[in-house]
Amino acid sequence: MYQAEEEAGALPEAALSRHGSSSSRRSLSFAQQRRSYGSRLVFSEDKHRMDRLKREWFHGKRCLDIGCNSGKSLTIPIAKRYSPLFLVGIDIDEDCISVGRSFMRTEAKAARAKARLSHSIDEQAPMSEVCRDSENPLQLGEYPFNIGFRCEDFTDDVHPDAEYDTILCSRVTKWIHFTQGDAGIFRLFQRVSRSLARGGVFVLEPQPWQSYRKDRGSALVPLSALRFHPNEFLDYLCGELGFRFVDSVQLDTADQRCFYVLQKPL
């Protein structure tokens, strides 16, 4: 049994501040570190992964993408192809979020012009509020008004109270591990569990341990201090948090990565 450190004794989330907190300092090092490994801003769709993501995980669903980068790899293609009710992309890198927002402003402007809309939409407003606008003929679930971006550290910042049907976390766990250690991974999984609706789906693509070894030179937390390895993530999610294993979708990569699909109990 894993002795995951629960957040008992912590301040209520509403009392935490995003500014001047440890998360804001960590976010900068995290973003710099990720780029030093070559995981820079992404400007194109990841067709390989998109083809393996299933429509039923997203269509008509309330969705969250943790560690979305610029959104162009998966977040925006998902919103466009699979028509989620709404999709929020979050990343700790402000540059990434700026690129995503800028692109979506352009997309929204084109859509408004096409629909001859005269009012503007605040790209930072919650999608559920944006799309309730009675003057807006484009409905909740219609691209490009079903997607928004926010700069946030999901493991530490105050995430708005929300309940999601699907949470995607692709190629993010290694970066959290490298900056926050095992405790960061436990916090990530605990918050995912709390944020998912009953019966909700968690789609996880963890980086394998061999990729940690390749990049260990710049890790803020030494590999020797990491005891909770990626091949143990499923045991914790299913054993301690009660998720049900649904499927593993193999990715055609040299290191045999896959999407793990897990469901929160009803």
Side-chain angles (χ1 to χ4, degrees):
M1 180 177 293
Y2 294 99
Q3 300 300 314
E5 183 178 338
E6 298 291 342
E7 298 181 58
L11 290 172
E13 289 193 355
L16 297 175
S17 171
R18 295 170 107 184
H19 303 288
S21 67
S22 61
S23 68
S24 61
R25 294 191 298 271
R26 184 165 61 230
S27 294
L28 179 60
S29 63
F30 186 2
Q32 290 173 333
Q33 180 192 45
R34 184 170 62 180
R35 290 180 181 181
S36 74
Y37 295 140
S39 181
R40 297 179 174 83
L41 279 167
V42 177
F43 290 97
S44 60
E45 177 181 337
D46 187 332
K47 296 183 183 297
H48 176 69
R49 283 177 170 78
M50 275 300 301
D51 288 344
R52 284 157 176 77
L53 291 172
K54 296 184 180 180
R55 179 180 177 85
E56 62 259 31
W57 299 340
F58 305 99
H59 183 68
K61 304 292 180 63
R62 302 164 297 174
C63 303
L64 175 69
D65 183 8
I66 301 171
C68 65
N69 198 280
S70 69
K72 293 193 176 183
S73 173
L74 294 177
T75 323
I76 294 169
I78 288 170
K80 194 169 187 177
R81 186 188 299 186
Y82 295 141
S83 301
L85 193 65
F86 65 83
L87 173 56
V88 178
I90 60 175
D91 199 284
I92 64 169
D93 191 327
E94 292 182 359
D95 291 340
C96 289
I97 293 301
S98 293
V99 169
R101 284 178 172 169
S102 177
F103 180 80
M104 292 315 303
R105 279 195 293 269
T106 301
E107 293 284 273
K109 182 177 180 180
R112 288 196 298 270
K114 185 176 181 180
R116 297 183 179 178
L117 301 180
S118 59
H119 67 291
S120 63
I121 289 179
D122 179 359
E123 75 279 1
Q124 297 188 55
M127 294 298 99
S128 54
E129 295 301 321
V130 166
C131 297
R132 285 197 188 111
D133 187 342
S134 60
E135 298 179 9
N136 182 6
L138 295 172
Q139 300 300 309
L140 200 64
E142 280 199 54
Y143 181 84
F145 302 111
N146 61 350
I147 181 172
F149 292 95
R150 187 162 54 240
C151 187
E152 178 183 322
D153 178 354
F154 183 75
T155 66
D156 202 43
D157 284 338
V158 180
H159 189 74
D161 289 337
E163 199 172 54
Y164 300 98
D165 301 304
T166 299
I167 295 180
L168 173 65
C169 184
S170 175
R171 295 167 291 172
V172 175
T173 51
K174 178 171 69 175
W175 311 120
I176 294 173
H177 232 163
F178 275 179
T179 54
Q180 302 181 39
D182 292 344
I185 300 296
F186 286 128
R187 281 194 298 270
L188 168 68
F189 291 159
Q190 290 163 6
R191 290 195 172 191
V192 164
S193 181
R194 290 203 301 268
S195 299
L196 270 175
R198 292 186 179 276
V201 171
F202 181 32
V203 182
L204 173 68
E205 181 196 348
Q207 294 99 325
W209 185 249
Q210 58 263 39
S211 75
Y212 284 58
R213 296 186 180 282
K214 180 183 67 175
D215 295 327
R216 67 179 180 268
S218 300
L220 300 183
V221 178
L223 262 62
S224 59
L226 303 180
R227 307 288 180 170
F228 185 32
H229 290 193
N231 63 354
E232 299 172 296
F233 290 174
L234 288 183
D235 289 342
Y236 175 72
L237 286 161
C238 296
E240 296 295 317
L241 297 184
F243 280 89
R244 181 177 70 87
F245 178 79
V246 176
D247 197 5
S248 62
V249 180
Q250 195 69 41
L251 297 170
D252 187 19
T253 58
D255 52 7
Q256 298 297 299
R257 299 190 187 196
C258 66
F259 287 123
Y260 293 114
V261 185
L262 303 141
Q263 185 178 41
K264 184 175 176 177
L266 294 170

